[in-house]
Amino acid sequence: MSNDVVGILFVAAVVWLIFGVIAGAIAAKKDRSQLGFFFAGFFFGPIGILAAILVGPGRPPAPPGTHTALCPRCNAQQNVPATQLTYECWQCTLISPLVGRSGQNITEKQSWKDWLKEGRIEY
């Protein structure tokens, strides 16, 4: 290849990389996947940036001292104090254990299915 072609390809790659960085930065401010929008901006250029601008904000993080809990019955999301072991869903009133990210109870290392088997959940 000639030097002109290599120079043009280099400039194009830098421009598309900048599109990816801009799309990722916009997505990060909206609490969305920074890496996903980086690739969208890198591969699709201005369309990826436009998608990052038009997408709605993601879910905000839980306030300090609380955990975000997702009800296993109705998928309602709520914030529960970090010291609380169980919570009552605000929507369907199911009482469930507070489950950590690994899918196990924070203190007893049991899943919510074990609680159902033992009959420890009130309806």
Side-chain angles (χ1 to χ4, degrees):
M1 278 197 249
S2 69
N3 287 338
D4 292 339
V5 174
V6 172
I8 291 172
L9 289 176
F10 179 75
V11 169
V14 169
V15 168
W16 289 100
L17 185 68
I18 291 171
F19 283 146
V21 169
I22 291 171
I26 292 170
K29 288 185 179 183
K30 291 187 171 191
D31 198 27
R32 293 290 185 163
S33 172
Q34 185 175 5
L35 185 63
F37 278 96
F38 168 79
F39 284 120
F42 182 76
F43 290 117
F44 302 114
I47 295 172
I49 293 175
L50 184 63
I53 291 170
L54 294 178
V55 73
R59 291 184 177 157
T66 63
H67 294 289
T68 301
L70 190 65
C71 178
R73 183 191 288 168
C74 68
N75 288 330
Q77 181 181 353
Q78 63 190 30
N79 295 324
V80 181
T83 58
Q84 194 170 335
L85 298 179
T86 61
Y87 67 96
E88 182 176 359
C89 176
W90 63 271
Q91 189 169 3
C92 69
T93 66
L94 175 72
I95 297 175
S96 299
L98 188 59
V99 177
R101 290 186 184 266
S102 64
Q104 295 182 341
N105 186 289
I106 290 174
T107 58
E108 298 180 17
K109 304 293 184 196
Q110 289 181 327
S111 71
W112 63 272
K113 292 178 183 178
D114 294 334
W115 282 56
L116 283 174
K117 288 177 187 174
E118 296 173 9
R120 294 171 65 177
I121 296 180
E122 302 170 10
Y123 293 97

